[in-house]
Amino acid sequence: MGYREDACAAVVQGLEAIGIQFFIHIPDTFGAPVITHFEQQPGVRTFPVAREEEAIGIASGLAMTGKKGVLFCQDVGLGNSMVALTTFAMAYHVPMLVLAIRRGGFGEFNAAVHTYSETAPDMVEAMRLKAFTLDYKVPLDQWPRAIQQAYDYAHMTHRPIIVFLNIKE
Amino acid sequence: MVARIDALRLIAQEFPQEPVVFTCGSTSREMASADRRDNHLYVVDAMGLVSSIVLGLSLGLGDDAQGKVVGVEGDGGMLMNLNALSSIGYLQPANLLLIVLDNQAYASTGGQHTFTDRLDLADIADSCHFRTWRTDELEGLKQAIAEARQAPGPCFIRMRIDPGNTPVPLLQDDPVTLGHTFTRWLASNRC
């Protein structure tokens, strides 16, 4: 297996340790193995949404009922979700975990997406959203625990927490 | 036709023990002013998000929901998040009801017209496999709600209302308190 597959396996391990009940996703090439895994888990309600913004609303509603959910999307999806993330999830103190797969950078094949993705962390910081990054600088055996901690941190601090994942080869 | 605040009063009376999420602007203001309740979630911004929040509530409550999980949108807000209709239609939550108060205008920002003077949101909901109702009278709304209660699957009521706003105070509570009141009610009632 390559880095992508190993990283996806680490993400799966982290989410299963949390015990997620809902896996909401926007399909992504790099993260496809994670999606495929949860689509095959009968105990996890897994479904795509049409746009990331609505996923923030759905994840918020789930959180308000006490259910464990995660949003799995590309970092560009954060751009599509800023108002929902800030004026609803942050403003109403709704905890949620957003796993955002990094685009742009080394290993990218799309000629345009970097215009967004290179500044995505700066945008998130400017919007006062809290984000962490898991990439090649963090050993993969630490990713599951980090993802668990990110979920716990979101609930302890009553807000959305973003974890950027760089899982390109 | 019917003033928004009168439609809202009816909705509050019809759903005293079920979660109801209200869209931003004059809808939340008028509802909070007319009949404020703990089972209400007033979304003061994030225009268009109500349908998605209600979908999340509906999925999360699942079989625990003893009645409907209700979202009250305006035509402008619904148009802003038509994605939600496709997602709801795809997932088919059994207990979800959307009520769109359609005045064919963005009434909270000066009355600019929306697309619904040419497009019928209920037609779009139909195509997304909702059960749908169309009315412009309070009795029609009451009847539609009664029928929706018995209908399986997601339901959509398009209620035409007057374009005006009722003068009421602004709703400037800290959103944290708005969310907490609602989630505390959810937890204690597990409707």
Side-chain angles (χ1 to χ4, degrees):
Chain A
M1 292 208 297
Y3 183 80
R4 170 179 168 251
E5 287 76 15
D6 291 342
C8 287
V11 171
V12 166
Q13 191 178 342
L15 293 176
E16 290 190 330
I18 292 168
I20 60 162
Q21 297 160 292
F22 291 86
F23 182 85
I24 309 165
H25 66 92
I26 302 283
D28 170 76
T29 303
F30 300 110
V34 180
I35 297 171
T36 300
H37 173 86
F38 283 106
E39 282 180 335
Q40 296 166 354
Q41 303 309 306
V44 179
R45 183 94 188 255
T46 299
F47 54 90
V49 291
R51 196 162 174 82
E52 295 86 348
E53 180 183 24
E54 59 165 325
I56 300 302
I58 298 168
S60 296
L62 285 169
M64 287 179 153
T65 67
K67 292 298 195 297
K68 294 184 176 183
V70 66
L71 169 58
F72 188 74
C73 64
Q74 292 183 4
D75 60 5
V76 292
L78 299 175
N80 291 337
S81 314
M82 272 299 147
V83 172
L85 276 166
T86 53
T87 74
F88 191 70
M90 282 177 67
Y92 284 72
H93 282 201
V94 181
M96 68 180 64
L97 177 61
V98 179
L99 300 182
I101 300 164
R102 296 287 275 126
R103 295 300 302 268
F106 297 161
E108 179 56 63
F109 58 83
N110 180 298
V113 72
H114 69 279
T115 59
Y116 169 88
S117 295
E118 284 183 1
T119 58
D122 298 329
M123 177 193 69
V124 163
E125 184 173 352
M127 300 304 292
R128 296 186 174 83
L129 288 160
K130 184 60 186 172
F132 299 89
T133 298
L134 295 177
D135 61 13
Y136 65 91
K137 289 178 280 191
V138 181
L140 285 177
D141 64 359
Q142 296 182 21
W143 282 34
R145 181 67 184 134
I147 289 170
Q148 279 184 269
Q149 289 179 317
Y151 180 86
D152 292 340
Y153 195 55
H155 285 75
M156 189 189 73
T157 58
H158 308 281
R159 57 181 172 164
I161 292 294
I162 297 160
V163 178
F164 286 115
L165 305 172
N166 197 338
I167 55 178
K168 296 191 289 298
E169 297 284 359
Chain B
M1 277 204 284
V2 174
R4 183 196 296 109
I5 198 167
D6 293 328
L8 291 170
R9 285 195 184 100
L10 177 64
I11 291 168
Q13 290 162 8
E14 289 293 312
F15 297 104
Q17 295 298 329
E18 290 143 298
V20 190
V21 184
F22 296 89
T23 191
C24 59
S26 295
T27 301
S28 273
R29 291 175 203 145
E30 290 180 10
M31 187 72 269
S33 176
D35 192 357
R36 188 165 183 160
R37 303 187 186 206
D38 289 353
N39 62 313
H40 294 175
L41 177 62
Y42 305 111
V43 179
V44 299
D45 200 272
M47 184 172 172
L49 204 64
V50 163
S51 302
S52 301
I53 295 168
V54 171
L55 175 56
L57 291 170
S58 182
L59 294 173
L61 290 171
D63 292 339
D64 288 344
Q66 293 173 10
K68 290 293 185 182
V69 181
V70 184
V72 180
E73 257 296 3
D75 48 308
M78 194 70 256
L79 287 165
M80 200 171 273
N81 190 17
L82 285 179
N83 294 329
L85 295 181
S86 64
S87 296
I88 293 167
Y90 177 78
L91 294 169
Q92 290 289 298
N95 51 12
L96 188 149
L97 169 61
L98 288 181
I99 303 174
V100 174
L101 302 179
D102 184 357
N103 57 11
Q104 303 181 322
Y106 294 102
S108 299
T109 56
Q112 299 86 359
H113 79 95
T114 71
F115 295 161
T116 63
D117 58 0
R118 298 185 196 176
L119 304 179
D120 185 339
L121 288 168
D123 287 347
I124 299 172
D126 271 332
S127 69
C128 292
H129 308 302
F130 282 73
R131 289 286 307 277
T132 59
W133 291 261
R134 298 160 178 78
T135 184
D136 58 4
E137 298 174 342
L138 286 178
E139 273 307 309
L141 177 59
K142 191 167 184 171
Q143 179 64 27
I145 289 171
E147 292 176 11
R149 282 192 180 287
Q150 307 304 320
C155 297
F156 185 100
I157 300 172
R158 191 217 67 208
M159 168 76 179
R160 287 239 196 264
I161 58 170
D162 287 340
N165 301 317
T166 300
V168 295
L170 295 175
L171 181 58
Q172 295 183 310
D173 300 48
D174 189 326
V176 175
T177 64
L178 296 176
H180 179 66
T181 298
F182 177 72
T183 54
R184 186 178 57 194
W185 177 86
L186 268 183
S188 64
N189 285 272
R190 290 317 283 181
C191 53

